[in-house]
Amino acid sequence: MSNALIDTNVLIDLVFDHSEAISRRFSAATFAGDSLFLSAISLYEFRFGAERSRRRDFQLTALAGFLSTVTVLDFDGSDAERAALLKGALTDRGAMIGSLDLLIAAQALERGLTMVTANVREFARIDGLVLEDWRAPA
């Protein structure tokens, strides 16, 4: 893997150190010089949660540290086009996923990125999306 889009659930696990497997995989990817990205959509999801948390300051400090290790990708017009097509295809098959996950997946597809997630079951519904589950043993 050389270009990966980190899903929100992996970001949460990294910030709160919930998964030793994810922490190891993230460290290995960083050490290997892989390009790691975070969707602005995931940034929104995490930031919203932090704003509602009793541990807001801790979460925002942890987020700032994480953001220093990745590139945040703005959601642009080509991502929106891909998302619309993807939503149509999933709707036709009766296989919809959550709206924000759909936007993140579309961004990964549009930019040719591997989706790093702990939510493989939902993202596996998307044809052509390359997935890695960092909670699974490497």
Side-chain angles (χ1 to χ4, degrees):
M1 175 193 61
S2 59
N3 295 309
L5 184 63
I6 306 292
D7 189 21
T8 310
N9 55 32
V10 172
L11 166 62
I12 290 166
D13 283 352
L14 284 166
V15 166
F16 293 111
D17 200 24
H18 286 169
S19 169
E20 186 178 323
I22 287 177
S23 294
R24 267 196 318 272
R25 302 276 296 263
F26 180 77
S27 294
T30 303
F31 181 75
D34 291 343
S35 296
L36 301 175
F37 299 94
L38 183 74
S39 172
I41 307 294
S42 292
L43 177 56
Y44 153 76
E45 287 184 293
F46 187 91
R47 181 65 194 256
F48 175 74
E51 290 300 326
R52 308 286 298 167
S53 173
R54 287 183 229 151
R55 297 176 40 185
R56 178 185 180 274
D57 293 340
F58 165 79
Q59 289 184 23
L60 293 180
T61 299
L63 177 63
F66 175 80
L67 291 176
S68 70
T69 65
V70 299
T71 300
V72 175
L73 298 176
D74 291 335
F75 192 84
D76 66 18
S78 62
D79 299 325
E81 294 281 341
R82 178 62 72 108
L85 295 172
L86 179 57
K87 185 172 184 175
L90 291 173
T91 300
D92 288 348
R93 289 187 2 234
M96 272 305 294
I97 65 173
S99 296
L100 296 177
D101 285 342
L102 183 134
L103 297 176
I104 295 165
Q107 198 167 32
L109 281 170
E110 183 63 22
R111 296 164 188 251
L113 302 173
T114 298
M115 184 84 230
V116 173
T117 185
N119 188 8
V120 172
R121 188 178 66 114
E122 186 160 299
F123 285 111
R125 298 178 198 168
I126 300 171
D127 294 335
L129 183 62
V130 178
L131 298 171
E132 278 194 26
D133 181 354
W134 279 8
R135 283 188 185 158

